[in-house]
Structures are given as C-alpha cells and as structure tokens.
Amino acid sequence: MSSDLVRLAQDWLAQDPDPRTREELRELLDEGDEEALRERFGAKLEFGTAGLRGELGAGPNRMNRVTVMRAAAGLAAVLGPDRHVVIGYDARHNSDVFARDTAAVLTGAGLRASLLPAPLPTPVLAFAVRHLGADAGVTVTASHNPPRDNGYKVYWGDGSQIVPPVDAGISAAIDAVGPVSSLPLGSPGDPGWTDLGEEIVAAYLDAVTLLPLGDARELKVVYTPLHGVGGVTLTSAFLAAGFASPVTVEAQADPDPDFPTVAFPNPEEPGAMDLALELAGRIGADLVLANDPDADRCAVGVPLPQGGHRMLTGDEVGALLGEHVIRHTSGDDRLVATTIVSSSLLGKIAAEHGVGYAETLTGFKWIMKAGGGRGNLVYGYEEALGYSVGSGGGLPVHDKDGIGAALTVAGLAARAKRDGRTLLDLLDDQARRYGLHATSQLSVRVNDLSLIAGAMARLRAAPPVELGGRKVESAEDLSLGSAGLPPTDGIRYRLAGGARVVVRPSGTEPKLKCYLETVVPVTGEVADARAQAVRELGALTADLSAALGL
C-alpha cells in the first residue's frame, strides 16, 4: 500500500474518538484495502453553502465525529468567543452524537451552545436561531438522502442558511484545524452549555399557528413523516390550530434511520407515497400530506373526481400557497420569491395583485436574500417541495418549513371543502386566469461526474435551435452571472410561447437536472389544456434528452 495512505490513516486513528470508525479503519489497514483507503483519504468532503453531506464512515471523505468536530472548530474560529449557537439534529444514525460533539467543541472554544431537546424538524432549528437571538445555528441532517448518509448544515444569525463568502470563510477555518484530539472540549453542565426544553417547540408552534390558516377546520387528512422527525411536531401543530389529528401511516410513523419502507426517503421519489395514497383511498381522505425526514419539505396529495388520489407538483402547491398568502396579507412592500427553476406562474400572480416578485438561484439560502433586504418577504417557495409561508408580519421561519406549509395547505383545503370545492378546482381557477403553467423534470443520474460536465459543455458549444417544436428564442449561460443573479453552473433556454428549460448539475447528488415548463392558454376546457400541456412536455423531454447525449 501507499505509505502516504497508511500515514494518513494512522494519523486519523490517533485522533478519532469513535471506536466504530477506528475499528473500520483498522480492518481496512489489516486487509491492505488500498482502494477503500484511497476513496476515504484521497479526497475530503468540501464545506459549502449546503454545509457538509456524505456517507458515514472513517476518513475525511466521510461523515464522522472527526469531520464534525473539525467543522465545529472552524465555525467557532469564524464566530469568535462569547457567541451563541443553537444546535439541532434529526434521527439519522449518529445525528445526536454529532450534535453533542458540536456543542462540546463550541463550548470548549468559549462559545455558548444551546442544544435542542430531541430530534426535531429542521424548521424548528431555523426558527430557534432568531427566537433566541443566536449568532448562528447548526443542524445535523442529510434531509432525504439515503440511510447511509448524514450531513451538517449551518445557519447564520438571520435564521437562514449561509451563503458566500461565509461558507468559504468557514471552509478555510476548517482546513486550519489541527488534530481534534487536541481541541478543548466542554460538557453538559458547563456554563456555556444549555440543554433546551420543550418551551422552544411551544414557541415554534405558537408562531406557525398564527399563519393565515382561515377559519375552516373540517378535513380528513392522511399524513406520513416517512420515518423522519416530523410526526410529533406536525400533529401538535394541527391540534394547536384546531384541526383534527391527521391519520398517520402507521408503518412510517416513528423515526427510523434505516427508512425500511422506502427506497429513498423523499416524497418525490417513485413509490415513496404508496402507503399514504393507499390509506387515503381506503378512508376517503380529503388531503394527503407528507414531510421528508427532517420535515423541511411538504408533499401534498388530493382526491380525484373519478376516485383515487394524485400528488400535486411543487409548482402547483407553490402557486396555490402564493396566491393564498397574497390574498391574506396586506402592505405595499410585500414581496414573494421563487427560484429560476420553479414555474413562472408566481410572477404573474404577483403582478396581478400588485405585489413585489423576485427570482433567485436554486435553494432557500438564496430565496431568503430575495430583494436584497428591500420589502417584506411574506412567501417563498422552490419546486422541490420547499415552502416558507408568512403573514403580514413576515416569515416566522427563514427557511423552508414543511410543518407551516402543511398547516396552511390544510387551511386552504378545509376552506375549499366548506365551499364544496377542492384544491383541484382552485388550480383550474388559476389556469383560467393566468394560463395553464405545466412543469416537469428530467433527471439523469450518473456514476461518472465527467459525463455531466461533458453534457454541459456540449450545450454551451452548440445550443439547440428548437425544442419540442418551439423555437429557442434565447440561451442564457448562468455561469456568467447577471445583474440579478450570482454565477451558477446552469443554462436557461427561453422558448416561443412562454415555454422555458433550465439545465443544471445537482448540488447534492450525482445528477443532471432539467426543469421544463410550458404555458397553454385556456380557451375551452381546462382538461383539454392539460392534455395539450402533457403532449408539449413530452416533446420537450424527448428533444432535450437527445440534445444532452446521455
């Protein structure tokens, strides 16, 4: 084996406080498994605007106690002593351990650390940062990644995720950290260490029950937390707001880091909602709701006139919630925001109601910066099932909030039910008023990331002149940046008739993601316009697939 690899592994063993990862590493050394060692030590997890996320295991290219302690030490160095950090965690493998390690490193460095009382939804952490007047927050979660992963996400004092250049500063500070075995560590009971109680959850529930929920409450809801941490908090929120307790999918009700009933714990993935939809059909539910494992996302399903249920897209829910918030708030400085890969419909709704509108790069860290701080941001969403719902006083959570969104959708659905209507009827109303905005995604997962780079290079060198029978009117290379957007690796095509395609590499998975939208005027039946939109999206998908060459 390479002597350098052996030395790196031995240096790691000397500082690793975790007996499990030490045993893993010793076995690899004893077996002489150079390939496995090189995979763990030939690279490292890079700290970026999404923090850290990766597979659990030994070495700098894995999530483990050493990686987490180094991240905490880097954060402490950037913040400086006497600062206050709130720490939350989900129910994944080692999340509680990583959270306590973070508190130990921060308090050992002279900072104050407040630890949430249990595995809780990420939006509770984001809320707590501002509620407690903290300087930063950390949550240990890998969201909807596979069971073998975990992650580490940092929030700043405004309660939103960090953006450049803060991420680069923390990353540089992490690189300067020496062996974690030499770090001074605090412990529970030390003056700087606070174990928070249930009062922080109560404060969060008080905030989300003040959202514009309306006064209708009669609704039969099926809910699944997908083995995550949303169940208790969402049920408490529903009861606090006056709704009946949702009927929860029993097999997915309790937190389980192995996610035994789903291939991927993401409500967008095929099959993830099967149990919830089956239960909804059996009991005749008016609404189906799901959170991802850390409960910052919300999925919505509705009954169909012919029987059964279907899941709404993130853009459909985003448009319904956006118009609902606009109708139930006031003020000339209101602002709503979404991302460049979400539907363009929210912009038309905002214009119709005379409300400010902004588009940002993908991710809630950017949505929270919409408008450059000018205007009262009352709503933001992204098509990947992320929504932050506010009231006239602004947003209680400066991040996506699957609990608050679920509550607001329930209020909207209950009002529609009282009027003898459904959310599908409300979507039809929007289609007639603004045109039918239909969206879909094309995602290509690869094992070799160079394939994605090659596809992007081909699209930049030879942009298509036509997609789906529509002329490509403009091709915008988003890596060049613009007055309104920082540079990002992506391409946006605007097509004749208001259609649009955005292509970008995923920031968290080995995928190339393509976002398609077509706009169909409604001159007759909405159903006919929907059928036409399906055909147009199919044609766009086929042509784009050919252009990608993957």
Side-chain angles (χ1 to χ4, degrees):
M1 281 196 301
S2 161
S3 59
D4 288 341
L5 274 180
V6 172
R7 178 182 53 79
L8 289 171
Q10 290 174 340
D11 288 347
W12 191 274
L13 282 171
Q15 63 174 318
D16 190 351
D18 191 332
R20 288 173 296 182
T21 46
R22 288 203 309 271
E23 181 181 359
E24 171 194 338
L25 198 49
R26 285 196 185 100
E27 288 180 357
L28 294 176
L29 285 168
D30 291 343
E31 294 166 1
D33 193 338
E34 182 164 355
E35 181 180 352
L37 287 170
R38 192 171 301 282
E39 205 281 326
R40 287 161 174 77
F41 288 90
K44 67 182 179 70
L45 295 180
E46 294 293 342
F47 188 94
T49 53
L52 296 165
R53 193 175 292 185
E55 186 175 345
L56 291 163
N61 203 30
R62 292 285 191 270
M63 283 296 298
N64 49 64
R65 294 182 65 184
V66 174
T67 297
V68 164
M69 293 171 75
R70 288 174 57 82
L75 175 61
V78 169
L79 287 171
D82 299 322
R83 300 288 183 155
H84 182 200
V85 182
V86 187
I87 305 162
Y89 55 101
D90 65 10
R92 284 178 176 267
H93 293 295
N94 268 11
S95 286
D96 57 340
V97 176
F98 294 164
R100 288 194 297 271
D101 281 342
T102 297
V105 171
L106 293 175
T107 53
L111 287 81
R112 291 179 292 130
S114 295
L115 198 63
L116 293 188
L120 285 166
T122 290
V124 176
L125 179 280
F127 168 83
V129 171
R130 295 175 65 237
H131 180 72
L132 297 175
D135 299 289
V138 169
T139 188
V140 181
T141 179
S143 188
H144 53 261
N145 274 39
R148 65 179 182 272
D149 291 356
N150 212 326
Y152 196 86
K153 189 184 295 185
V154 176
Y155 291 74
W156 222 229
D158 62 353
S160 66
Q161 298 173 48
I162 57 171
V163 297
V166 174
D167 58 336
I170 296 173
S171 181
I174 292 171
D175 290 341
V177 174
V180 300
S181 53
S182 65
L183 292 173
L185 301 178
S187 59
D190 286 353
W193 182 310
T194 300
D195 288 311
L196 297 169
E198 290 299 321
E199 70 281 350
I200 191 65
V201 182
Y204 168 78
L205 293 175
D206 287 344
V208 295
T209 51
L210 292 176
L211 294 174
L213 308 180
D215 57 2
R217 291 295 182 268
E218 185 179 340
L219 199 68
K220 185 181 292 186
V221 178
V222 160
Y223 168 70
T224 175
L226 288 181
H227 302 293
V229 297
V232 172
T233 306
L234 181 134
T235 299
S236 298
F238 267 62
L239 294 175
F243 290 98
S245 180
V247 181
T248 302
V249 176
E250 185 175 351
Q252 299 172 333
D254 295 329
D256 188 330
D258 294 318
F259 308 109
T261 68
V262 291
F264 286 93
N266 179 353
E268 291 183 293
E269 291 287 342
M273 294 300 299
D274 286 356
L275 291 179
L277 292 172
E278 188 276 329
L279 176 60
R282 185 152 36 89
I283 70 171
D286 302 308
L287 188 68
V288 181
L289 295 171
N291 291 133
D292 65 338
D294 69 328
D296 62 353
R297 289 173 170 82
C298 175
V300 179
V302 294
L304 296 168
Q306 66 270 29
H309 292 71
R310 85 161 173 93
M311 301 305 297
L312 300 182
T313 68
D315 283 319
E316 287 175 324
V317 176
L320 289 175
L321 284 177
E323 189 149 31
H324 174 77
V325 170
I326 289 171
R327 290 182 184 276
H328 290 83
T329 56
S330 60
D332 295 337
D333 63 343
R334 285 173 298 163
L335 177 68
V336 298
T338 190
T339 70
I340 58 172
V341 302
S342 302
S343 171
S344 60
L345 176 54
L346 183 62
K348 294 180 181 178
I349 293 171
E352 176 71 17
H353 292 276
V355 170
Y357 169 76
E359 282 186 0
T360 73
L361 296 183
T362 305
F364 255 81
K365 58 185 177 287
W366 297 113
I367 289 175
M368 289 302 108
K369 302 293 188 289
R374 295 181 296 277
N376 179 22
L377 186 61
V378 295
Y379 177 70
Y381 97 93
E382 60 182 359
E383 49 73 40
L385 309 185
Y387 318 93
S388 186
V389 179
S391 62
L395 300 170
V397 177
H398 284 193
D399 196 24
K400 50 187 177 291
D401 178 6
I403 307 295
L407 263 186
T408 312
V409 169
L412 187 57
R415 169 65 185 270
K417 180 180 179 180
R418 189 172 66 186
D419 295 342
R421 311 186 79 214
T422 70
L423 295 184
L424 292 179
D425 293 317
L426 302 186
L427 286 171
D428 285 352
D429 290 347
Q430 288 187 329
R432 294 185 189 98
R433 190 178 307 123
Y434 305 109
L436 178 66
H437 291 62
T439 59
S440 68
Q441 257 197 59
L442 170 64
S443 292
V444 183
R445 185 180 290 271
V446 299
N447 293 321
D448 181 358
L449 288 176
S450 68
L451 296 175
I452 291 178
M456 295 297 292
R458 287 192 297 275
L459 289 177
R460 287 187 169 104
V465 296
E466 185 178 282
L467 290 170
R470 293 175 181 255
K471 180 183 177 183
V472 177
E473 295 183 334
S474 67
E476 182 182 0
D477 186 348
L478 300 175
S479 69
L480 302 177
S482 67
L485 296 172
T488 188
D489 188 8
I491 301 170
R492 177 165 54 185
Y493 300 114
R494 298 188 188 276
L495 314 181
R500 181 222 64 201
V501 171
V502 178
V503 182
R504 73 173 186 92
S506 170
T508 57
E509 299 176 274
K511 284 182 177 180
L512 185 64
K513 304 184 79 170
C514 310
Y515 305 83
L516 291 68
E517 179 177 34
T518 189
V519 182
V520 179
V522 178
T523 56
E525 296 294 324
V526 176
D528 294 336
R530 292 192 186 281
Q532 181 180 337
V534 169
R535 293 191 295 270
E536 292 186 5
L537 288 173
L540 277 174
T541 301
D543 283 2
L544 185 59
S545 296
L548 293 175
L550 293 176

